[in-house]
């Protein structure tokens, strides 16, 4: 379902301005960030657990944890000099303080570097409370430029595709009763294995790299 205001003239104009900016930049400099709430129920699908050919019902590798939700703040990029994916995992709800801490961690570990363009959506946790001066702080202290995505255009954020990949890969793992793993541990294993090719494909699908 498409939000009614997605194609408002002002939103279209902002999208054109954004495309004009990023089209002039080297994609290697672009780093995207977003948040993900992961619940045990999200990867549990009774119909998907039955093999359509054999009729066997396998045991999903993650435990069905309906009570707990885990918060992930992720970053991705195609710069071969850094990891393709960096994430900040917590049990708390994502808020401005958690996001600011995740950005600091991404800088400390070398994922975000001078000259990078950090791109995010317009969520309030990115710009308010503790992060009211985040844009100025990143530029003056680290030479990192902050850019926001156009309104109602999550399809231009490659990390959204990586979240889809994360959930899909969790659903694909089946083992016997003796090897159940909580969903947050399985998610950590999968995100640790995201490679530059995974992120490159997401960049390409979102239009930041010309596949031709």
């Amino acid at each position: 379902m498409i939000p009614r205001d997605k194609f408002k003239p002002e939103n279209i104009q902002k999208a054109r301005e954004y495309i004009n900016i990023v089209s002039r930049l080297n994609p290697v400099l672009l780093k995207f960030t977003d948040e993900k709430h992961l619940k045990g129920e999200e990867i549990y699908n009774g119909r998907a657990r039955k093999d359509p050919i054999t009729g066997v019902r396998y045991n999903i590798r993650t435990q069905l944890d309906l009570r707990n939700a885990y918060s992930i703040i992720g970053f991705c990029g195609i710069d071969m000099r850094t990891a393709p994916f960096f994430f900040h995992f917590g049990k708390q709800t994502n808020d401005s303080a958690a996001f600011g801490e995740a950005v600091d961690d991404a800088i400390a570990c070398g994922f975000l570097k001078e000259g990078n363009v950090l791109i995010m959506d317009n969520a309030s946790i990115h710009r308010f409370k503790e992060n009211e001066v985040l844009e100025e702080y990143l530029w003056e202290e680290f030479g990192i430029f902050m850019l926001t995505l156009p309104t109602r255009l999550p399809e231009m954020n490659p990390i959204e595709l990586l979240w889809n990949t994360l959930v899909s890969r969790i659903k694909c793992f089946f083992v016997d009763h003796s090897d159940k793993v909580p969903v947050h541990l399985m998610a950590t294993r999968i995100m640790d294995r995201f490679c530059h090719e995974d992120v490159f494909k997401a960049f390409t699908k979102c239009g930041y790299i010309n596949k031709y």
Side-chain angles (χ1 to χ4, degrees):
M1 297 181 66
I2 300 175
R4 185 170 296 180
D5 63 345
K6 184 179 180 73
F7 298 109
K8 290 171 62 175
E10 53 266 40
N11 289 343
I12 293 175
Q13 180 58 33
K14 289 179 181 178
R16 287 173 176 164
E17 293 171 358
Y18 172 81
I19 292 171
N20 184 51
I21 292 172
V22 296
S23 65
R24 299 168 184 262
L25 299 173
N26 183 343
V28 171
L29 299 177
L30 307 182
K31 300 291 178 72
F32 291 84
T33 183
D34 191 38
E35 298 78 43
K36 170 72 176 171
H37 294 284
L38 186 71
K39 297 181 180 180
E41 61 185 331
E42 186 170 3
I43 52 82
Y44 183 83
N45 186 329
R47 289 175 299 177
R49 296 175 71 212
K50 184 175 181 179
D51 189 303
I53 297 177
T54 65
V56 175
R57 288 188 179 273
Y58 295 98
N59 296 299
I60 199 160
R61 190 167 188 169
T62 57
Q63 293 173 341
L64 179 57
D65 185 356
L66 300 180
R67 295 172 298 172
N68 296 319
Y70 303 91
S71 300
I72 314 170
I73 299 173
F75 302 80
C76 70
I78 59 171
D79 188 347
M80 297 295 293
R81 300 171 300 173
T82 67
F85 193 83
F86 174 80
F87 63 93
H88 189 275
F89 216 138
K91 197 73 181 293
Q92 78 283 359
T93 301
N94 284 328
D95 56 18
S96 56
F99 181 72
E101 182 181 344
V103 171
D104 283 337
D105 287 349
I107 294 171
C109 78
F111 180 85
L112 288 176
K113 297 177 176 290
E114 182 178 359
N116 282 167
V117 179
L118 180 60
I119 303 176
M120 63 196 74
D121 60 28
N122 289 283
S124 60
I125 69 170
H126 299 154
R127 290 188 168 274
F128 297 106
K129 294 185 178 180
E130 290 88 343
N131 297 326
E132 285 183 343
V133 295
L134 180 61
E135 184 174 4
E136 180 181 349
Y137 166 72
L138 289 176
W139 177 248
E140 293 187 353
E141 297 294 327
F142 304 102
I144 298 170
F145 183 71
M146 197 168 107
L147 183 65
T148 54
L149 287 159
T151 304
R152 301 293 192 185
L153 277 180
E155 61 266 33
M156 295 197 74
N157 193 343
I159 204 169
E160 296 283 1
L161 298 176
L162 294 172
W163 294 145
N164 292 341
T165 301
L166 169 63
V167 174
S168 296
R169 290 182 180 177
I170 288 175
K171 290 180 178 179
C172 286
F173 287 99
F174 301 101
V175 293
D176 40 4
H177 287 282
S178 62
D179 193 24
K180 288 185 178 180
V181 180
V183 63
H184 65 289
L185 294 181
M186 179 55 68
T188 297
R189 292 182 186 180
I190 292 171
M191 290 187 291
D192 280 339
R193 295 172 184 170
F194 277 148
C195 63
H196 284 94
E197 184 180 359
D198 292 324
V199 181
F200 190 89
K201 288 178 179 178
F203 268 57
T204 302
K205 193 166 184 178
C206 290
Y208 294 99
I209 298 172
N210 188 344
K211 59 184 176 181
Y212 302 107

